[in-house]
């Protein structure tokens, strides 16, 4: 799996591959994914990173992967809370489900803050990353089996919502990257 540092090095050393990725990103921006696809893609990526984390042994690699996971989850929860959940709340009659999702986000944010305040190799670091992964797996399961089907049935404009979410995600990721 590629880390943020690896992809930066790859971009600078392979301009041809970088331009190919740039064209792919431009096409994706021109043709936005529906909101649910965007969120599911995020879910799959983070799940793969958690799985990769389990195989790592070096603290520097664990630290980098944990930071990558925490950043992705922070951005993901923010776009859900700012864009997706409000739109869904208006469209469906299930405040309890959305309230639970927000509470689950709060718990994840607390663990993320604790992980970010630590260094790999410290006591409980691995345990906190593992518990965060389990917590996120539970949350994803509920979103994908309960919330997303209700959103599709409610006839929410998922393409427009996806475009709005993709734009916000790009803004947040750009702010998070060092210059």
């Amino acid at each position: 799996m590629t880390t943020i540092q690896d992809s930066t090095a790859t971009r600078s050393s392979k301009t041809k591959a970088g331009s190919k990725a740039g064209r792919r990103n431009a096409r994706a921006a021109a043709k936005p994914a529906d909101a649910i696809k965007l969120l599911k893609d995020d879910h799959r990526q983070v799940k793969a990173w958690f799985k990769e984390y389990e195989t790592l042994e070096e603290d520097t690699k664990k630290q980098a992967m944990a930071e990558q996971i925490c950043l992705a989850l922070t951005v993901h929860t923010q776009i859900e809370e700012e864009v997706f959940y409000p739109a869904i709340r208006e469209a469906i009659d299930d405040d309890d489900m959305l309230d639970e999702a927000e509470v689950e986000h709060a718990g994840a944010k607390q663990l993320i803050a604790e992980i970010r305040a630590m260094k790999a190799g410290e006591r409980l670091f691995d345990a906190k990353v593992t518990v965060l992964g389990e917590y996120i797996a539970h949350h994803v399961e509920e979103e994908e089996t309960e919330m997303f089907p209700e959103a599709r049935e409610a006839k929410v404009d998922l393409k427009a919502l996806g475009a709005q979410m993709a734009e916000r995600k790009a803004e947040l990721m750009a702010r998070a990257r060092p210059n």
Side-chain angles (χ1 to χ4, degrees), residues 32-52:
D34 101 1
I36 292 173
K37 181 180 180 339
L38 185 145
L39 294 173
K40 283 184 171 184
D41 288 349
D42 282 357
H43 293 167
R44 299 298 163 262
Q45 180 64 72
V46 171
K47 181 180 179 180
W49 287 337
F50 276 116
K51 190 171 186 169
E52 182 178 349

Side-chain angles (χ1 to χ4, degrees), residues 28 31-44 75-77 79-89 91 143-144 147-152 155-169:
K31 185 179 132 186
D34 101 1
I36 292 173
K37 181 180 180 339
L38 185 145
L39 294 173
K40 283 184 171 184
D41 288 349
D42 282 357
H43 293 167
R44 299 298 163 262
V75 169
H76 180 87
T77 59
I79 65 172
E80 281 186 332
E81 291 172 2
E82 290 179 1
V83 182
F84 188 71
Y85 289 174
I88 299 308
R89 192 176 291 274
E143 278 188 343
E144 292 188 2
M147 187 183 299
F148 293 174
E150 283 194 45
R152 284 212 190 277
K155 305 292 187 228
V156 173
D157 185 349
L158 295 171
K159 290 277 188 200
L161 202 54
Q164 188 179 354
M165 290 167 60
E167 182 178 328
R168 183 64 176 137
K169 181 178 178 179

Side-chain angles (χ1 to χ4, degrees), residues 6-57:
D6 292 340
S7 62
T8 302
T10 302
R11 261 186 271 128
S12 61
S13 67
K14 297 182 182 179
T15 55
K16 188 173 182 178
S19 64
K20 191 181 274 186
R23 288 191 304 272
R24 186 174 53 245
N25 289 340
R27 281 193 308 271
K31 185 179 132 186
D34 101 1
I36 292 173
K37 181 180 180 339
L38 185 145
L39 294 173
K40 283 184 171 184
D41 288 349
D42 282 357
H43 293 167
R44 299 298 163 262
Q45 180 64 72
V46 171
K47 181 180 179 180
W49 287 337
F50 276 116
K51 190 171 186 169
E52 182 178 349
Y53 182 90
E54 293 172 10
T55 69
L56 299 176
E57 294 183 19

Side-chain angles (χ1 to χ4, degrees), residues 100-113:
E100 283 180 34
E102 287 185 37
V103 170
E104 289 171 350
H105 277 193
K109 288 176 190 177
Q110 178 62 41
L111 270 174
I112 288 167

Side-chain angles (χ1 to χ4, degrees), residues 118-174:
M118 299 176 76
K119 295 287 181 213
E122 285 184 46
R123 185 177 169 276
L124 300 182
F125 186 86
D126 286 340
K128 288 182 185 214
V129 173
T130 298
V131 169
L132 179 61
E134 293 167 352
Y135 204 73
I136 294 303
H138 168 80
H139 178 72
V140 164
E141 176 72 18
E142 287 185 344
E143 278 188 343
E144 292 188 2
T145 61
E146 296 172 27
M147 187 183 299
F148 293 174
E150 283 194 45
R152 284 212 190 277
E153 286 178 27
K155 305 292 187 228
V156 173
D157 185 349
L158 295 171
K159 290 277 188 200
L161 202 54
Q164 188 179 354
M165 290 167 60
E167 182 178 328
R168 183 64 176 137
K169 181 178 178 179
E171 289 171 11
L172 294 169
M173 292 302 288

